[in-house]
Amino acid sequence: MNRVRLSAGPSFSDDGLYSGVTRLAHHAPAALDSVISVWSEYGLGLFAILMIIAWWRARTAGRPQLPALAVPAVVVLAYVAGAIIKSWVNEQRPCQVLPVTPLDACPALGDWSFPSNHAVIAAAAAAGLWGTDRLLGWIAAPAALLMAASRVWIGAHYPHDVLAGLLTGAVLGALLTHVAKRIAARFEWGCARQRVPVR
């Protein structure tokens, strides 16, 4: 299916970097490209699994479960914030405005590029897991970076799209997780007071 390229589009300082990465992807081994494409498409599932494990680890260790249970909500809120920014910025995908051939099919016109939703979600999940289960956070943080890099590799985003996504997700994820932990602490304190026998 032929794509309609914009006759003119904004020029960004990382246009050359994006074009260089997409050229490198076409010269890379096919097996590597396949692995990166699959990771880019389905890798967010890893973060969902890590969130479930975080809740289970908190439950079995006797720690407050509310912060771990709040991580999915944190991710959803970060995603909504990223979607609002997307609709405000209205940046077309680089594969629509630059003379490149991406590894994966180029999203349609109007499927905005800035910031990368995948990067927002991955970074928010990593920040939430980092704040609730440091061991799982050490797994999620590099996975989020790999997710962001994969979006540029397959040609779906400019580098600045994924960097903005990582920053948005990390900041919101950390702040919202902190709020969830404060709420959990207050809840536990309230429950502990109720358990104290009245003399």
Side-chain angles (χ1 to χ4, degrees):
M1 182 177 179
N2 293 329
R3 295 195 305 273
V4 178
R5 292 193 182 277
L6 300 182
S7 58
S11 178
F12 298 105
S13 59
D14 57 355
D15 282 359
L17 177 58
Y18 168 82
S19 298
V21 171
T22 54
R23 284 195 300 269
L24 178 62
H26 281 288
H27 288 88
L32 175 61
D33 286 340
S34 296
V35 169
I36 294 176
S37 292
V38 170
W39 167 250
S40 182
E41 183 71 21
Y42 302 107
L44 291 180
L46 170 65
F47 298 95
I49 294 171
L50 291 176
M51 287 184 241
I52 295 172
I53 295 173
W55 164 76
W56 181 256
R57 280 167 55 84
R59 181 175 182 272
T60 56
R63 299 195 307 270
Q65 299 174 44
L66 182 58
L69 290 171
V71 175
V74 166
V75 172
V76 170
L77 290 174
Y79 167 79
V80 170
I84 292 172
I85 296 172
K86 265 183 183 285
S87 64
W88 178 61
V89 175
N90 290 356
E91 177 193 277
Q92 292 290 357
R93 300 278 181 162
C95 50
Q96 289 287 2
V97 298
L98 296 176
V100 299
T101 302
L103 283 183
D104 287 3
C106 187
L109 290 169
D111 187 346
W112 309 120
S113 189
F114 180 94
S116 163
N117 280 339
H118 282 69
V120 170
I121 292 170
L129 289 166
W130 186 271
T132 55
D133 191 312
R134 191 56 53 87
L135 175 62
L136 298 179
W138 278 109
I139 299 172
L145 295 176
L146 290 174
M147 175 56 70
S150 75
R151 302 302 291 168
V152 180
W153 186 270
I154 68 170
H157 286 284
Y158 293 103
H160 69 259
D161 295 336
V162 299
L163 289 175
L166 289 173
L167 180 62
T168 300
V171 170
L172 289 177
L175 289 175
L176 293 172
T177 300
H178 177 71
V179 171
K181 291 172 73 173
R182 291 286 297 273
I183 293 173
R186 287 177 177 270
F187 179 76
E188 290 293 322
W189 180 77
C191 290
R193 285 196 63 185
Q194 291 179 355
R195 289 193 294 266
V196 174
V198 178
R199 295 182 179 180

